[in-house]
């Protein structure tokens, strides 16, 4: 409230985020209704990469408790920052999700803060994360195993990440046997320029297959700003939304 009538930039940003958040939640609700699904069966994961910790605090004040990040250094810094109590107190109830490609040598650090990792696509990476998770548990830094989603490749381009569909079952068994990990589902990103509907339909087929051997792997992390409706139609339980919530990122991500 300003007697001069000027709008506080922090309030303006919070108001913008509140408006965007309401619009995204409404899109999710409508997509659930259209798909004949219960709206509570789809979670919104705000993706805050490239945006400052102040935005995370604003979203926290707006009731969000889960956040997705895709770059290890940026995420690790934000997590540390938000643990420091501010006027809001420390943001202790936050669950951080690692959604981006990750190098094996970052697994140890990520296992210290990630509630869930969406981008596990090899046994070597899973093993590194398991080791990191168990070390973090032993050190009292975390309590629960790291929740793991297997990132499945929807094209034949290994450079874009993701395990080949034929190898999902083996990787799932490996994760399920790892004491520091908990298999929670599948994740995918449709190929650039591809028809997302067909890609999500394929993903749903693989998820159904995985559930036969691993009924605990209920989560399906699929759908972003432009294609969440299609993903929800095909069974997504978690949409990862950046742009529609935060606005355009300052620079494009890899
Ligand atoms: C950045 C990112 C998103 C969010 O994408 P938007 O199109 O901005 O909603 C979702 N998933 C992953 C893996 C990302 O890296």
């Amino acid at each position: 409230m300003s007697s001069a009538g000027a709008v506080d930039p922090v309030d303006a940003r919070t108001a913008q985020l509140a408006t965007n958040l309401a619009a995204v939640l409404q899109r999710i609700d409508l997509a659930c209704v259209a798909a004949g699904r219960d709206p509570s069966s789809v979670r919104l994961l705000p993706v805050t990469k490239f945006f400052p910790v102040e935005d995370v605090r604003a979203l926290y004040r707006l009731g969000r408790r889960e956040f997705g990040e895709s770059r290890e250094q940026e995420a690790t810094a934000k997590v540390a920052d938000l643990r420091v109590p501010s006027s809001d107190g420390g943001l202790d109830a936050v669950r951080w999700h690692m959604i981006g490609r990750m190098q094996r040598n970052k697994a140890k650090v990520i296992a210290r803060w990630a509630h869930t990792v969406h981008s596990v696509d090899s046994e070597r990476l899973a093993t590194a994360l398991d080791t990191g998770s168990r070390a973090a548990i032993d050190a009292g830094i975390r309590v629960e195993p790291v929740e793991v989603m297997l990132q499945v490749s929807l094209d034949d381009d290994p450079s874009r990440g993701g395990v080949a569909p034929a190898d999902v079952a083996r990787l799932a068994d490996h994760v399920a046997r790892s004491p520091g990990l908990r298999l929670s589902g599948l994740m995918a990103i449709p190929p650039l320029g591809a028809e997302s509907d067909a890609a999500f339909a394929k993903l749903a087929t693989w998820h159904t297959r995985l559930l036969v051997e691993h009924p605990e792997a209920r989560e399906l992390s699929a759908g972003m700003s432009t294609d969440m409706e299609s993903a929800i139609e095909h069974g997504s339980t978690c949409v990862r939304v950046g742009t529609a919530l935060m606005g355009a990122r300052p620079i494009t991500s890899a």
Side-chain angles (χ1 to χ4, degrees), residues 29-84:
D29 278 0
L30 290 173
C32 286
V33 170
R37 298 182 56 192
D38 179 347
S40 71
S41 66
V42 180
R43 280 185 302 152
L44 167 64
L45 180 65
V47 174
T48 47
K49 68 186 183 200
F50 293 95
F51 286 92
V53 287
E54 289 72 27
D55 281 354
V56 180
R57 285 193 189 280
L59 287 167
Y60 185 91
R61 285 194 297 271
L62 294 169
R64 309 320 298 181
R65 293 293 180 270
E66 303 194 72
F67 301 100
E69 288 281 333
S70 65
R71 303 186 305 166
E72 180 274 320
Q73 280 196 338
E74 177 186 344
T76 300
K78 272 183 198 163
V79 172
D81 211 328
L82 290 171
R83 282 204 180 118
V84 178

Side-chain angles (χ1 to χ4, degrees), residues 92-112:
D92 277 343
V94 167
R95 291 179 169 180
W96 292 97
H97 295 242
M98 174 62 183
I99 65 174
R101 296 205 70 184
M102 73 188 248
Q103 291 163 333
R104 237 172 337 129
N105 62 5
K106 301 291 170 58
K108 188 178 169 191
V109 176
I110 290 169
R112 295 167 74 94

Side-chain angles (χ1 to χ4, degrees), residues 67-150:
F67 301 100
E69 288 281 333
S70 65
R71 303 186 305 166
E72 180 274 320
Q73 280 196 338
E74 177 186 344
T76 300
K78 272 183 198 163
V79 172
D81 211 328
L82 290 171
R83 282 204 180 118
V84 178
S86 72
S87 53
D88 300 319
L91 308 192
D92 277 343
V94 167
R95 291 179 169 180
W96 292 97
H97 295 242
M98 174 62 183
I99 65 174
R101 296 205 70 184
M102 73 188 248
Q103 291 163 333
R104 237 172 337 129
N105 62 5
K106 301 291 170 58
K108 188 178 169 191
V109 176
I110 290 169
R112 295 167 74 94
W113 54 257
H115 174 272
T116 304
V117 175
H118 293 229
S119 44
V120 172
D121 61 359
S122 73
E123 294 192 10
R124 294 169 75 195
L125 180 55
T127 299
L129 202 55
D130 177 49
T131 304
S133 174
R134 286 195 274 160
I137 291 170
D138 287 348
I141 294 165
R142 67 179 305 128
V143 176
E144 298 290 333
V146 175
E147 302 267 342
V148 164
M149 310 235 203
L150 309 181

